[in-house]
Amino acid sequence: SNPLQYQLLQCLKQSSIGGESSLSDGFAAATSLRRKNPEAFHLLSTIPVRFRYQDEHNDLLTERPMICLSVDGNIDKIYFSSRLDATPLCPSIDQTEAFYKAKKSFLTELYREDRVVDFKLKENE
């Protein structure tokens, strides 16, 4: 099994503009999507997505479904970032359209008010 994964944030110097962060419970969102819209859940757990981040020093690329399942079908990992390009690798236009509808349903679950925590770190937090 995989160890838990954490994202640690530290504010070294606070800016008066920007710096807001949001966290959401992706596992709860995926579980809800699976119950409410099994077809959307199936698409997001089977269609690989190309995630890419590029800057002047890095070119990071990976391909995997947004929702990854364990061998026994449980939700194992969620891959989502609003900052990365996420291109679905669909074999047809119809499947691409269905993927984006499924992603919209997932984002509706992900950004539900009761799942999101918004915050802005202060300097040295």
Side-chain angles (χ1 to χ4, degrees):
S1 84
N2 293 316
L4 292 175
Q5 297 179 12
Y6 296 93
Q7 180 179 27
L8 301 176
L9 305 173
Q10 180 182 16
C11 178
L12 300 176
K13 183 174 181 179
Q14 187 182 47
S15 171
S16 60
I17 299 171
E20 293 82 8
S21 295
S22 296
L23 299 177
S24 181
D25 186 343
F27 282 85
T31 299
S32 182
L33 182 69
R34 180 182 241 174
R35 186 176 18 76
K36 292 178 181 178
N37 191 340
E39 183 180 334
F41 181 88
H42 175 75
L43 289 171
L44 297 181
S45 64
T46 57
I47 294 175
V49 176
R50 179 176 292 135
F51 294 93
R52 188 169 199 170
Y53 172 80
Q54 288 179 295
D55 66 17
E56 62 186 64
H57 304 291
N58 302 288
D59 187 5
L60 307 174
L61 176 70
T62 190
E63 295 174 1
R64 58 177 52 111
M66 289 180 70
I67 301 171
C68 293
L69 305 179
S70 64
V71 293
D72 57 357
N74 292 317
I75 299 166
D76 190 45
K77 296 179 181 78
I78 307 293
Y79 291 97
F80 172 76
S81 173
S82 60
R83 294 186 62 197
L84 301 179
D85 291 337
T87 307
L89 303 175
C90 301
S92 71
I93 293 294
D94 290 341
Q95 197 174 34
T96 301
E97 289 176 3
F99 175 89
Y100 280 110
K101 287 179 184 175
K103 182 178 176 184
K104 183 178 179 182
S105 295
F106 180 58
L107 294 181
T108 297
E109 292 294 329
L110 193 65
Y111 289 125
R112 268 184 30 188
E113 192 173 308
D114 61 327
R115 288 201 179 104
V116 176
V117 175
D118 296 311
F119 60 95
K120 182 173 181 176
L121 294 175
K122 296 179 182 143
E123 202 163 306
N124 295 318
E125 281 189 327

